[in-house]
Amino acid sequence: MRIRKISVLLLSVGLLMGITACKGGISETGSKAETSDSIRDSVVIAIDSEPETLDPTKGWGHGNSPIVQSTLVKYTADLTFENDLATGFELSPDGLTWTFTIRDDARFTDGERVTASDVAFTLETAKAAQGSVDLTYMESASARDDTTLVITLSRPTSIFLNTLASVGIVPEHAYGEDYGVSPVGSGPYRLVEWKAQEQIIFAANEDYYGGVPDIKNVTVVFMSEDAALAAVMAGEVDVAYSSAALGRTQVEGYRVEAITSADNRGFTLPVLPDEGRTTESGAPIGNDVTCNLEIRQAIAYAIDRRQIAETVLNGFGRPAYSENDGMPWNNPDVEIETDVEYAEKLLADAGWEDTDKDGIVERDGLKAEFNCIYPSGDSVRQALAMAVAEQVSPIGIRITVEGVGWDEITRRMFSEAVMMGWGSSIPNETYYLYRSGGALLDDFYNPEGYGSDVTDGYLNAAMEALTAEEANRNWQRVQWDGETGTAMQGECPWVWIVNLDHVTYVRDGLSIGKQPIHGHGHGLPLIQNLNEWTWSE
């Protein structure tokens, strides 16, 4: 199978002188970002979040292109795969052995050649790290010779290409404890400087086998959305990741691009009762209100998602009905219409009544009220949570919205609703969100405690499928098989609300290419195709 363009087989799917970021904006020790033709090979980009590391084995580039490093294959904007370091691969009939041929003209920025041994070392290191890159199903990766890589899996895994597309290859000879802050790679860009909480500077890799990018110098400054818009208005940045609330502001010399994303918002609802149990870390488990299916479904049907997208998101978004709306593996049957009468009927049929006329329904002395927490400082999540609380109040459910820190969220998320953000253009996320084995672990994937033998069966079938069609059929059955599933008309462990557009200010004359569908990532997905950006004449 030696092809340049790989179909979605198993899956899915100079620095400007003196500009330094500060918390309030950009301080100038020299001039503002120039726009003259003489330096039309540089850009300054403002985004609102800083990566924790540039080490792909520990999560850098996960779900996006790592840009500093090459990958075996890369994900394209039209949800297909394309060779990167690989020139082709062969898959054994049982789906367990992948044999990749590696190009022989790729070099790390220190001059050393990239070999199959580097790729094997990277995958084994990522597996051992047990971080955001899940390679638990990989038995081994080894180099047969400099250009031949053999990977053996313990079971067929339909998301394997998706995983490989986001694991940047690190050099075995130059990998150490500080690699995450001073990486050596073979991607289109190299790291020049990283000032923590201020900026990262990249420069084009002049020896990149894929062709030297037109944009030679890139400064990424980290600042809040408000500060980023101020920088746009002052002409100090070329590109700025903004927010829906600010996206209608017109700035001369810039346009707004609303980039389609799979970045969604919704809230988890604990599906287990409060029985006094705790997680391994001691966090309480369960909620006696949200453990009732009719409560969860009533909330889901009472919400007017279109209205919320228009008002809270300023029109920069659309209703969300699942974790993967619009993807090839999405089940279109998950979409539900707002139906307040049906929501009220669900509650009444289950015995919930407002007996004391205080506006809150109750049953056996238990009132239908609970907290929904969100990360403090996130104005979008706050506004979404408040909009939902307002919309469900007429059916007799009271939601108290509270902003707290992430440490507090990790302690309370197993027993209270949380306004979460997810979203990916690959199907891996469905597996991690709903598998029983991932419930109630001290991470963010399944704090609601959802588990189902039926769902697990479909998840495993999707993971082990040998064709995209078979995998997609089972991903869809996870959501809804006609009788049950994770969808809101099913077990409803999530109430999905909206998908966000990624609102981005772009200076006139700059093309940011055909942006791939953005996943959740607070601005970082924006730079995954940097090597395609160009200035017009």
Side-chain angles (χ1 to χ4, degrees):
M1 196 178 298
R2 301 183 181 278
I3 46 180
R4 183 61 189 165
K5 190 112 170 183
I6 304 175
S7 65
V8 187
L9 169 66
L10 299 175
L11 84 27
S12 277
V13 186
L15 309 175
L16 293 172
M17 292 294 296
I19 294 187
T20 306
C22 60
K23 289 186 178 179
I26 296 178
S27 62
E28 297 186 49
T29 58
S31 61
K32 292 181 182 179
E34 299 289 342
T35 59
S36 66
D37 291 341
S38 63
I39 62 163
R40 285 278 173 146
D41 62 353
S42 302
V43 295
V44 179
I45 306 166
I47 60 178
D48 65 347
S49 65
E50 182 175 17
E52 295 180 1
T53 179
L54 297 183
D55 184 346
T57 71
K58 297 180 180 178
W60 162 245
H62 182 56
N64 305 299
S65 170
I67 78 170
V68 173
Q69 296 88 5
S70 303
T71 53
L72 271 178
V73 297
K74 55 187 177 182
Y75 219 29
T76 68
D78 59 357
L79 299 181
T80 61
F81 291 103
E82 188 175 73
N83 284 322
D84 191 0
L85 281 177
T87 59
F89 72 87
E90 295 177 356
L91 177 62
S92 63
D94 61 5
L96 297 179
T97 303
W98 296 70
T99 304
F100 285 88
T101 303
I102 309 300
R103 63 190 306 143
D104 60 6
D105 61 345
R107 293 188 177 276
F108 292 109
T109 51
D110 64 1
E112 293 292 323
R113 181 180 164 193
V114 182
T115 68
S117 181
D118 293 303
V119 182
F121 171 79
T122 299
L123 296 177
E124 292 286 3
T125 301
K127 177 182 177 180
Q130 296 183 337
S132 58
V133 180
D134 181 13
L135 287 170
T136 55
Y137 49 82
M138 187 186 79
E139 285 193 352
S140 65
S142 60
R144 181 180 295 167
D145 53 45
D146 282 354
T147 59
T148 308
L149 173 75
V150 180
I151 304 172
T152 303
L153 308 183
S154 59
R155 62 182 185 274
T157 306
S158 65
I159 63 172
F160 190 47
L161 281 181
N162 301 99
T163 299
L164 293 179
S166 64
V167 181
I169 305 307
V170 304
E172 185 175 8
H173 67 276
Y175 185 84
E177 289 295 322
D178 64 345
Y179 181 85
V181 295
S182 57
V184 173
S186 58
Y189 287 89
R190 59 182 177 83
L191 176 69
V192 175
E193 181 184 57
W194 185 355
K195 292 184 178 180
Q197 299 181 358
E198 292 185 4
Q199 66 184 20
I200 293 182
I201 297 174
F202 300 104
N205 177 2
E206 297 292 335
D207 296 319
Y208 180 53
Y209 54 85
V212 182
D214 288 345
I215 303 298
K216 300 296 191 293
N217 304 301
V218 181
T219 301
V220 179
V221 294
F222 307 111
M223 55 178 57
S224 69
E225 293 163 351
D226 288 345
L229 179 57
V232 168
M233 297 178 75
E236 294 173 330
V237 298
D238 299 302
V239 180
Y241 183 75
S242 189
S243 68
L246 302 174
R248 296 298 177 188
T249 304
Q250 295 186 0
V251 181
E252 185 176 358
Y254 292 82
R255 67 187 183 279
V256 172
E257 293 199 15
I259 301 168
T260 301
S261 86
D263 193 358
N264 49 50
R265 297 292 182 272
F267 55 92
T268 57
L269 293 170
V271 301
L272 301 174
D274 181 0
E275 297 176 332
R277 294 192 298 148
T278 63
T279 65
E280 287 188 7
S281 64
I285 293 172
N287 185 294
D288 287 335
V289 176
T290 63
C291 72
N292 296 284
L293 177 59
E294 66 275 5
I295 292 286
R296 303 195 300 271
Q297 289 183 336
I299 294 169
Y301 278 96
I303 295 172
D304 187 337
R305 292 166 178 79
R306 289 183 175 82
Q307 182 186 63
I308 291 176
E310 187 61 35
T311 56
V312 175
L313 299 183
N314 214 8
F316 291 109
R318 59 202 182 284
Y321 303 99
S322 74
E323 73 280 3
N324 54 33
D325 292 341
M327 298 299 163
W329 48 93
N330 176 260
N331 188 335
D333 292 339
V334 300
E335 185 171 335
I336 61 175
E337 294 295 332
T338 302
D339 192 335
V340 175
E341 289 186 4
Y342 180 61
E344 292 173 333
K345 183 176 186 302
L346 285 170
L347 296 174
D349 288 350
W352 294 89
E353 299 180 77
D354 183 10
T355 54
D356 58 5
K357 307 303 180 184
D358 65 348
I360 308 172
V361 296
E362 59 183 82
R363 185 178 65 188
D364 299 329
L366 177 67
K367 288 189 174 292
E369 56 185 353
F370 58 90
N371 293 333
C372 178
I373 57 179
Y374 69 92
S376 298
D378 191 320
S379 59
V380 172
R381 297 195 203 196
Q382 179 188 31
L384 290 171
M386 293 180 68
V388 169
E390 181 179 354
Q391 289 190 353
V392 302
S393 179
I395 67 170
I397 296 177
R398 175 177 294 173
I399 300 176
T400 301
V401 176
E402 180 184 1
V404 299
W406 280 109
D407 288 344
E408 185 76 1
I409 289 175
T410 58
R411 187 183 69 82
R412 296 168 58 180
M413 65 184 179
F414 305 98
S415 59
E416 300 183 38
V418 183
M419 182 61 67
M420 290 280 197
W422 284 110
S424 174
S425 57
I426 55 180
N428 310 34
E429 192 165 278
T430 294
Y431 179 75
Y432 298 117
L433 282 176
Y434 300 122
R435 64 190 180 103
S436 297
L440 305 177
L441 300 179
D442 287 315
D443 61 30
F444 294 100
Y445 272 116
N446 189 353
E448 66 273 15
Y450 174 78
S452 162
D453 290 342
V454 173
T455 296
D456 286 342
Y458 293 139
L459 288 171
N460 292 333
M463 289 285 281
E464 296 179 8
L466 295 180
T467 67
E469 293 75 19
E470 182 185 359
N472 288 348
R473 279 196 300 271
N474 282 289
W475 292 127
Q476 291 165 358
R477 289 167 180 158
V478 167
Q479 296 177 308
W480 184 246
D481 65 3
E483 295 182 1
T484 189
T486 60
M488 290 183 286
Q489 69 266 47
E491 293 301 311
C492 195
W494 273 81
V495 170
W496 300 100
I497 306 171
V498 290
N499 293 297
L500 282 63
D501 290 337
H502 283 181
V503 179
T504 307
Y505 281 87
V506 182
R507 192 187 293 276
D508 291 344
L510 176 64
S511 168
I512 59 174
K514 184 179 180 182
Q515 287 281 319
I517 293 176
H518 285 192
H520 181 60
H522 304 288
L524 286 175
L526 178 66
I527 66 173
Q528 62 185 307
N529 70 334
L530 260 176
N531 58 313
E532 298 176 11
W533 294 20
T534 58
W535 285 102
S536 59
E537 294 296 331

